[in-house]
Amino acid sequence: MCDHCVIQSVKDRMLNRRDLFKASAVGAATVAAAATGLQATPAFAGGHGVKTKLGEVIDMTHTLSPDFPTFFGVPGISSQQKFNFKEHGFNLFDLTINEHTATHVDAPLHFSADGRSVDEIAIADLVVPLVVINIKEKAAASPDAQVTPEDLKAWISKNGPLPERCCVAMNSGWAAKSGNAAEYVGNDAENKKHFPGFHVEATKMLLEESSAAALAVDTLSLDHGPSADFATHYAWLPAGRYGIENLAGLDAVPENGATLVVGAPKHKGGTGGPSRIFAMI
């Protein structure tokens, strides 16, 4: 059989199977609804901020692209198309990715000699209560603003104790700057960066007084931009907890009560990696 015939045969089978799956899915949903006496509802994760009977899903993930600002100033992802639909009947790209690009996870191994790699993070720590610490006012006044113990105490005074195994996220408003690398990174004339992060004393407070599983920031780093010693990274990650950087969507979630779902990658020995993250309200 000629190559063209083979490719056309593959296309036909793909289309036939797609129609079969659609019909099967509709039939199964109808049967399930009839059996339970409930009306069928849209898929829970059907889109950005989609409302369902279960609540609302908020996308917390920036799009991973060569244009997204990076810590080292070079594109964090590149792609090469190896197969295309016109010639081969399917599309496929080879990707080259820096683990710490766009919305991503920092595994304990990132800043320790023998910490857990990203594939070893417990699944129970990837579906966690979300705590949002809003420092947008401070960050507007100074790009070097940090989450301090006082910010944590103010949240606790208003909302009660931090939930078990939560993710404590800084909302500095920085996500809105992600389309402008100069503003997002904040390099000055001496090439020093300027963006908000967690103060090491707030980090130590969380380590000593909470079971928080993760820290998250809407900036390039858990440490604020001018940091020369990465004190928060070195305090948090070697303690067996993980981080999230370049988180999006924090203005769309409450400061308390949402559940964060972290779709961390699972490549063996990884120090982190780009992740699809969403919140359920």
Side-chain angles (χ1 to χ4, degrees):
M1 185 179 289
C2 66
D3 289 344
H4 173 75
C5 297
V6 171
I7 292 172
Q8 187 59 48
S9 177
V10 169
K11 290 181 180 179
D12 291 342
R13 286 199 298 271
M14 290 169 63
L15 292 172
N16 289 339
R17 290 184 58 169
R18 187 180 306 162
D19 291 340
L20 175 62
F21 291 150
K22 285 181 179 178
S24 298
V26 171
T30 303
V31 171
T36 59
L38 297 176
Q39 292 184 346
T41 59
F44 187 62
H48 297 259
V50 62
K51 291 183 180 295
T52 74
K53 287 189 175 182
L54 297 177
E56 187 173 5
V57 181
I58 304 295
D59 195 350
M60 310 291 286
T61 317
H62 288 288
T63 298
L64 176 59
S65 80
D67 299 322
F68 195 88
T70 63
F71 194 88
F72 297 107
V74 296
I77 182 172
S78 63
S79 64
Q80 180 181 7
Q81 186 160 14
K82 305 294 288 187
F83 298 91
N84 64 77
F85 194 85
K86 182 177 180 180
E87 295 181 73
H88 309 105
F90 63 97
N91 293 306
L92 185 149
F93 293 83
D94 276 351
L95 302 179
T96 301
I97 303 174
N98 182 305
E99 289 178 311
H100 299 272
T101 298
T103 304
H104 68 273
V105 164
D106 281 5
L109 182 60
H110 185 38
F111 269 71
S112 60
D114 56 0
R116 284 181 297 166
S117 56
V118 69
D119 55 304
E120 295 173 327
I121 297 175
I123 192 71
D125 288 340
L126 298 176
V127 182
V128 292
L130 177 61
V131 166
V132 180
I133 309 296
N134 191 324
I135 64 162
K136 291 171 67 175
E137 187 173 339
K138 287 200 301 184
S142 169
D144 298 334
Q146 298 182 77
V147 175
T148 64
E150 288 68 33
D151 295 314
L152 297 177
K153 291 174 183 176
W155 190 97
I156 292 169
S157 177
K158 179 179 178 181
N159 297 282
L162 294 172
E164 292 293 315
R165 311 303 297 167
C166 64
C167 172
V168 180
M170 173 191 77
N171 183 6
S172 68
W174 229 247
K177 302 175 184 287
S178 63
N180 184 317
E183 291 186 4
Y184 196 70
V185 180
N187 282 335
D188 60 20
E190 299 177 352
N191 206 33
K192 182 180 292 185
K193 297 173 175 58
H194 296 278
F195 51 75
F198 273 87
H199 194 286
V200 68
E201 291 304 321
T203 306
K204 290 178 179 178
M205 177 180 167
L206 290 170
L207 287 170
E208 295 168 1
E209 302 180 21
S210 81
S211 63
L215 287 185
V217 293
D218 56 352
T219 59
L220 282 170
S221 174
L222 301 179
D223 289 273
H224 74 326
S227 174
D229 58 8
F230 297 98
T232 288
H233 275 85
Y234 279 114
W236 188 255
L237 298 178
R241 313 197 196 191
Y242 72 93
I244 301 170
E245 294 171 336
N246 299 312
L247 196 62
L250 284 164
D251 283 339
V253 297
E255 65 181 25
N256 187 27
T259 296
L260 195 68
V261 181
V262 182
K266 199 178 180 182
H267 56 295
K268 187 174 179 61
T271 70
S275 304
R276 188 64 183 266
I277 301 176
F278 58 91
M280 299 185 296
I281 302 173

